[in-house]
Amino acid sequence: MAKGKKEVQQEDENFNYIVRIVNSDIDGQKRTVIGLQSIKGVGKRVAQIVVKKADIDPSVKIGSLSDEKVKELEALVKSYVEYAPVWAINRQNDYESGADMHLFGNDLDIIQKEDVNRMKMIRCYRGIRHEGRHKVRGQRTRSNGRHGLTMGVQRKSN
């Protein structure tokens, strides 16, 4: 029994409770696929592709991985565009450069805000809908998405 406790203690010494990948803190207690999903811009499918490419067991906790494996994971996440199919990339045919990119973290937020501001500046339909804080993608607005003080049914006055 004492030998088993020493092994558990040794695992705890090498265990990282916080793993940092692509400027995001990941809880070391989470499984590898779930942990990678806490990076903004990485969903379930992207995380599965990256873990499979790294040849890591998806059920292993991300905090128990060695530093070399974590660096390999980070490199694979950053270079995701190179080996992923075009339909699985979140920024296809960039407006300015025309390149295919996959954005993570703050870059994703900044680019989305720039896109919305560009639509507002050129006064396209979607930009006008964004300005008025209306639904943009064709959803119904008569009965849903209401806000403000006067809500409810207005009756005809006789």
Side-chain angles (χ1 to χ4, degrees):
M1 282 190 161
K3 191 173 187 180
K5 286 184 180 179
K6 284 184 181 179
E7 289 178 27
V8 170
Q9 214 173 21
Q10 192 174 18
E11 287 179 22
D12 287 341
E13 290 173 8
N14 296 332
F15 191 82
N16 297 326
Y17 288 95
I18 295 177
V19 178
R20 191 146 176 89
I21 298 177
V22 194
N23 295 331
S24 299
D25 292 335
I26 300 171
D27 184 12
Q29 299 285 352
K30 294 183 178 180
R31 291 181 287 139
T32 310
V33 174
I34 305 296
L36 285 177
Q37 289 179 42
S38 61
I39 300 170
K40 188 173 178 99
V42 176
K44 186 174 185 178
R45 180 169 282 165
V46 173
Q48 288 172 343
I49 291 171
V50 169
V51 168
K52 192 172 186 180
K53 182 88 171 168
D55 198 30
I56 297 173
D57 182 20
S59 62
V60 172
K61 293 192 177 191
I62 199 165
S64 64
L65 295 176
S66 64
D67 292 338
E68 294 82 31
K69 280 289 188 183
V70 171
K71 287 179 182 176
E72 181 185 350
L73 266 179
E74 184 169 16
L76 285 172
V77 167
K78 286 181 178 177
S79 66
Y80 175 72
V81 160
E82 297 170 8
Y83 59 88
V86 177
W87 54 265
I89 295 172
N90 67 6
R91 182 89 176 150
Q92 301 166 8
N93 196 14
D94 183 47
Y95 180 76
E96 294 171 359
S97 65
D100 292 337
M101 300 185 295
H102 195 86
L103 302 171
F104 304 102
N106 294 336
D107 296 338
L108 188 60
D109 293 333
I110 291 167
I111 294 287
Q112 282 179 334
K113 286 179 184 174
E114 286 177 2
D115 288 344
V116 170
N117 286 336
R118 186 178 60 253
M119 286 189 282
K120 288 178 184 178
M121 283 174 42
I122 64 174
R123 305 296 294 164
C124 71
Y125 181 76
R126 286 180 65 191
I128 293 168
R129 299 294 289 179
H130 272 292
E131 277 183 354
R133 295 183 180 164
H134 298 297
K135 303 279 186 178
V136 176
R137 298 185 177 183
Q139 299 95 328
R140 63 181 292 124
T141 57
R142 180 176 177 179
S143 62
N144 204 13
R146 296 181 179 192
H147 53 275
L149 292 176
T150 56
M151 284 196 304
V153 179
Q154 293 185 352
R155 296 183 181 176
K156 292 182 180 177
S157 59
N158 290 349

